[in-house]
Amino acid sequence: MAEAAHAEVHRHPAPTGFIRKYIFSIDHKVIGIQYILLALAAVIVGMLMSVLMRVKLTWPGTSVSILETLFPQGAPGGIMSAEFYLSLVTMHGTIMVFFVLTTAPQGGFGNYFLPIQIGADDMAFPTLNMLSFWVTFVGFIVILLAILAEGNATVGAWFTGLGASWSAGSGTVGPIGGWTGYAPLSALGKAAGPGQGAGVNLWIISIAIFCVGSLLGALNFITTLINMRTRGMSLMRMPLTCWAWFTTAVLALLSFPVLLGGGILLLLDRMAGTSFFIPGGLYVSGAPVPLHSGGSPLLWQHLFWFFGHPEVYIAILPGMGATSHILSTFARKPIFGYRAMVFAIFAIGMLGFFVWGHHMFISGMSPYSAVAFSVLTLSIGVPSAIKTFNWIGTLWGARIRFTTPMLFAIGFVSLFVAGGITGLVLGQTSLDFFFHDTYFVTAHFHLVMGVASIFGMFAATYFWFPKMFGRMMSESMGKFHFWVTFIGVYAIFVPFHAMGMLGMPRRYSQFDEYTFLNNSGGLVKFVTVAALITVTVQLLFYFNFFWSMFKGKKVTSDNPWEATTLEWDIPSPPPHDNFAGIAPTVYRGPYEFSVPDAPKDYVMQSEPDAGEIHPGLGERSGNGGNGHKH
C-alpha cells in the first residue's frame, strides 16, 4: 500500500476498559466475533437436538437417562415421547435457521470484514451495530427460555401464572408445530397440544426480537457500503463478498418486517382474541373454538413464506460471496465473469421475492397461480447456473492451492449444485404434490440452505482466521475436518432423497407402524451412524478454533494467503480503527491474479501502477472514515 503518500484523516482512540472493549463494544470487529461466538453456541444446541432426533427415529424405545432427569414428563423413563420429538424438530429448525445460518455469515463475517474491504474504519452507525448484536442475543436467550418454560415444571408454573395463554410445563422443549409455526395450530394456545402455550409465545417473541436486531443490522450494512467506500472503491471494484453482504442486507430489510408483522398478528390472535389466522367454526379435540371467526390460516403461510424464501438466500448468499472470493484467491486466477457474478447475485436476491408460493403448492391454491410460481421458481436456475459455470470457469486450468478454506469452498459448490438440482424437481407442481411431505424436501433444503451455507462459513473461518487472530488454524486438523464432514453430509442426505422417494413422511417420530417402510430400517440406521460421526468431527473444529486462537502458529506475514483485497494490507489482527487513520486508495479490481509482467502473481487493490498515484490520496470518494455516527 502506498501509505507514505497518504494523509492521516481520522482516528478513534481504542477503548481501554474491559466492558467497553469486549462486552458493549462498538468496534465492528469485536461485534463480528461476538456474532460468530453466538452462532457457535447456538449450533451446539441445534446439533444436540438433531442427535436426539436421530436416536428417536432409529431406536424409538431407547432410554436416555439424562432426559428422564431433565424432562421427566416429556421423556418418561428417558424415552422420548412423540410430542417431545416434534418439539425437538421445531427448536432445531428455529435455532439453526435464525441463530446460526442468519447470524454467522452476515452478522459475523459481514460485520468484521465489510468495512475493511471497502476501506472504512467502522460501520456507519457503531452504536446501532452494538445494539443489533445485543438485541439478537436477547432473542437467543428468549428461545432458550422456551425450553425451560415447557420442559421444567417449576419454571413452567411461573409462566402459567402469567395468564391463560402462558400455560407451560408440558414436558416438551418448546412448540410442536415446526419452525414454520403454521396457523391455526400456533394460534390456538394450549388447546392445540403440548408446548403450544408459553412455548409458542416465547417462540414468537424471540423471532420478533431477532427481526428487530436484523433490521438494525441491515440498515447499517446498506448505509456503510453506500456511503463509506474509500477513494477508488467503485461499485465494480468491490469484492464479491461485499456484493453478497449488501444484497443480503437488502433482502433482510424487505423480508424481516413481514415476519415481524405476522408474528405480532399471531400474538394478538393468541392473547387479544383477534382472528387474523383462526377461521370460524373450528373444532379442536371435538370441542368448538369460541370467539374466533373469519381468520385465514393461509394468510400466515403467505406472510411466513414471503419472508421464508428470501431467508434461504439470506443464509446462502454470504456463502456464495465467500466462495467466489476464496476460489479466485487459491486458483490464482481472476474470478471468471465478475460482472455476471454481480448481476447473478442481485438476480437471485430479487427473484427470491416472487417464488414464495412454491412452498404452498399443496395448500389448495389456484393451478394457474401454481404454474406462475413454478415458472418463476425454475427461472432462479438461470442466475444460479451462471454462478456455477463461473466458479467452474475460475477453476478451469488453474494452479489450485488445496488449502483448507479452498477445500470447503469447493465443497460449497458441490453441495450447492447437488441440492439445487433437487430444487428443480420440487419446483414442479405435480412432483411436489408427492414429495412435499417426505424426506426428499428435508434433503433438499438441508443440502442447499443448511450444509452448503455452513460450508461457506467454514471456508470463511479458515480463510480469515489468520487476519482475525494473528494465528493460523491447523491445516492438518482442518483437512481431516473437511473430508469427514464432506463425506458425512453426503452419507446423510443422499439416503434422505431415497427415503423421500420411498414416501417416508417427515416430522414423524417413528415408522414402525408403516409396513411399506419395513425395509428402510437399514437406511435409517446408516444415516444415524453417519450423522453421529459427522457431528463428532465438528468437535475437532471447535478444538482447532479455540486452540489456534491462543496456541496456533503465529502468522509471519499480514498476507499469508497472498490475497489482493484491503484487509490483507493491514496488521493481523487489525488495529482498532483498521487503517490507523490513513485512508487507503484503491486502484484496481479485487481479483488481480496471474497478472502478466507483474513482479508477483498477484497485485493488491491498493498497489498503484507506475505514475498512477494522484495528489490528495488521503481524501475519499464517500464519507470514508468519518462517515459514521456514534
Side-chain angles (χ1 to χ4, degrees):
M1 187 167 69
E3 292 180 355
H6 291 190
E8 183 175 303
V9 295
H10 189 190
R11 296 208 70 172
H12 296 293
T16 53
F18 179 82
I19 299 293
R20 292 294 293 172
K21 190 172 182 180
Y22 296 111
I23 308 298
F24 297 110
S25 173
I26 57 173
D27 185 335
H28 68 99
K29 299 182 290 297
V30 176
I31 295 169
I33 291 173
Q34 287 175 327
Y35 269 113
I36 292 170
L37 294 178
L38 174 62
L40 286 173
V43 81
I44 289 177
V45 181
M47 280 197 306
L48 187 60
M49 289 179 168
S50 67
V51 168
L52 291 175
M53 284 189 284
R54 293 311 309 174
V55 169
K56 173 65 176 173
L57 287 168
T58 312
W59 303 287
T62 300
S63 175
V64 183
S65 57
I66 193 171
L67 291 181
E68 184 180 18
T69 305
L70 296 175
F71 308 102
Q73 190 177 347
I79 301 173
M80 289 175 267
S81 65
E83 291 80 8
F84 188 88
Y85 171 84
L86 289 174
S87 65
L88 287 174
V89 173
T90 302
M91 296 296 278
H92 166 78
T94 303
I95 290 172
M96 293 300 287
V97 168
F98 290 98
F99 296 99
V100 178
L101 300 176
T102 308
T103 299
Q106 183 77 0
F109 295 107
N111 239 312
Y112 198 110
F113 287 104
L114 182 135
I116 304 177
Q117 287 195 332
I118 64 172
D121 55 2
D122 208 326
M123 281 288 195
F125 308 111
T127 304
L128 207 63
N129 202 21
M130 176 188 69
L131 282 175
S132 69
F133 167 75
W134 283 106
V135 168
T136 305
F137 179 78
V138 170
F140 182 59
I141 296 300
V142 172
I143 199 73
L144 294 182
L145 204 55
I147 300 175
L148 293 176
E150 292 293 350
N152 184 280
T154 305
V155 180
W158 185 84
F159 274 99
T160 303
L162 296 177
S165 68
W166 287 92
S167 178
S170 64
T172 64
V173 294
I176 61 172
W179 82 280
T180 53
Y182 276 175
L185 186 63
S186 59
L188 294 174
K190 186 71 174 177
Q196 296 300 99
V200 172
N201 286 349
L202 291 169
W203 181 85
I204 297 170
I205 293 170
S206 169
I207 300 306
I209 293 172
F210 185 89
C211 289
V212 172
S214 295
L215 288 172
L216 296 178
L219 286 170
N220 224 345
F221 273 76
I222 293 169
T223 308
T224 302
L225 185 135
I226 291 176
N227 284 344
M228 296 182 67
R229 299 189 315 279
T230 192
R231 178 187 173 94
M233 182 60 83
S234 63
L235 292 176
M236 286 300 163
R237 283 181 175 175
M238 290 197 307
L240 288 171
T241 43
C242 295
W243 278 110
W245 289 320
F246 176 65
T247 309
T248 301
V250 173
L251 294 181
L253 189 69
L254 297 177
S255 62
F256 275 113
V258 178
L259 181 64
L260 178 60
I264 293 171
L265 298 184
L266 186 59
L267 212 55
L268 289 174
D269 271 9
R270 293 173 58 82
M271 294 183 172
T274 58
S275 297
F276 292 104
F277 306 120
I278 304 175
L282 192 64
Y283 279 72
V284 176
S285 302
V289 176
L291 304 177
H292 290 285
S293 63
S296 170
L298 285 181
L299 174 61
W300 169 259
Q301 291 194 34
H302 281 291
L303 294 174
F304 182 86
W305 286 117
F306 187 83
F307 145 80
H309 198 78
E311 166 62 25
V312 173
Y313 303 114
I314 288 172
I316 201 169
L317 279 178
M320 288 183 176
T323 294
S324 305
H325 196 77
I326 292 167
L327 287 180
S328 178
T329 300
F330 293 107
R332 315 309 294 170
K333 285 178 63 181
I335 194 76
F336 185 86
Y338 172 87
R339 285 178 180 269
M341 294 290 262
V342 171
F343 294 133
I345 289 173
F346 252 80
I348 290 172
M350 183 186 68
L351 288 171
F353 280 106
F354 300 106
V355 300
W356 79 92
H358 75 224
H359 296 275
M360 301 168 58
F361 283 155
I362 64 168
S363 67
M365 69 164 56
S366 159
Y368 300 108
S369 301
V371 169
F373 280 120
S374 178
V375 171
L376 285 166
T377 299
L378 297 180
S379 69
I380 291 185
V382 176
S384 300
I386 289 172
K387 295 195 72 66
T388 304
F389 288 132
N390 285 8
W391 286 327
I392 295 172
T394 303
L395 295 176
W396 188 264
R399 295 174 289 112
I400 299 175
R401 298 176 181 178
F402 288 102
T403 60
T404 302
M406 184 61 163
L407 290 175
F408 274 105
I410 294 172
F412 174 95
V413 176
S414 167
L415 292 163
F416 177 71
V417 172
I421 287 173
T422 55
L424 297 177
V425 175
L426 295 172
Q428 301 280 349
T429 54
S430 54
L431 294 174
D432 185 72
F433 264 60
F434 175 79
F435 285 123
H436 189 84
D437 196 33
T438 73
Y439 269 74
F440 197 89
V441 172
T442 313
H444 164 69
F445 73 72
H446 270 87
L447 273 183
V448 175
M449 184 183 182
V451 181
S453 300
I454 288 175
F455 266 56
M457 285 184 254
F458 280 141
T461 302
Y462 284 104
F463 181 67
W464 279 313
F465 190 92
K467 181 54 59 181
M468 296 166 75
F469 301 106
R471 295 176 183 271
M472 303 292 290
M473 291 182 77
S474 166
E475 276 287 286
S476 55
M477 277 194 276
K479 288 177 179 175
F480 183 79
H481 171 226
F482 166 77
W483 283 112
V484 177
T485 306
F486 185 69
I487 295 170
V489 296
Y490 273 111
I492 296 168
F493 295 111
V494 170
F496 263 37
H497 288 91
M499 293 175 187
M501 287 187 277
L502 286 173
M504 183 178 284
R506 55 187 171 130
R507 295 177 178 168
Y508 282 35
S509 62
Q510 59 189 62
F511 307 105
D512 298 350
E513 299 87 351
Y514 304 98
T515 54
F516 75 98
L517 294 173
N518 283 348
N519 295 327
S520 62
L523 207 55
V524 173
K525 288 179 182 173
F526 176 80
V527 167
T528 299
V529 172
L532 293 175
I533 294 172
T534 307
V535 167
T536 302
V537 84
Q538 304 317 309
L539 300 179
L540 181 66
F541 167 76
Y542 275 80
F543 172 79
N544 194 3
F545 184 90
F546 288 106
W547 180 84
S548 300
M549 200 182 289
F550 304 102
K551 299 291 184 180
K553 181 183 175 184
K554 287 187 178 180
V555 294
T556 55
S557 161
D558 290 329
N559 188 7
W561 305 124
E562 298 184 313
T564 59
T565 42
L566 293 181
E567 73 268 31
W568 304 105
D569 262 335
I570 58 178
S572 305
H576 173 66
D577 49 3
N578 298 341
F579 298 95
I582 301 172
T585 300
V586 169
Y587 294 93
R588 62 194 73 253
Y591 304 112
E592 298 281 339
F593 295 102
S594 301
V595 178
D597 300 325
K600 298 172 288 191
D601 81 332
Y602 65 100
V603 182
M604 303 291 292
Q605 278 193 286
S606 56
E607 189 174 332
D609 290 331
E612 200 176 359
I613 299 177
H614 303 290
L617 289 178
E619 302 168 2
R620 296 183 176 217
S621 56
N623 284 335
N626 56 2
H628 60 261
K629 306 295 181 187
H630 290 273

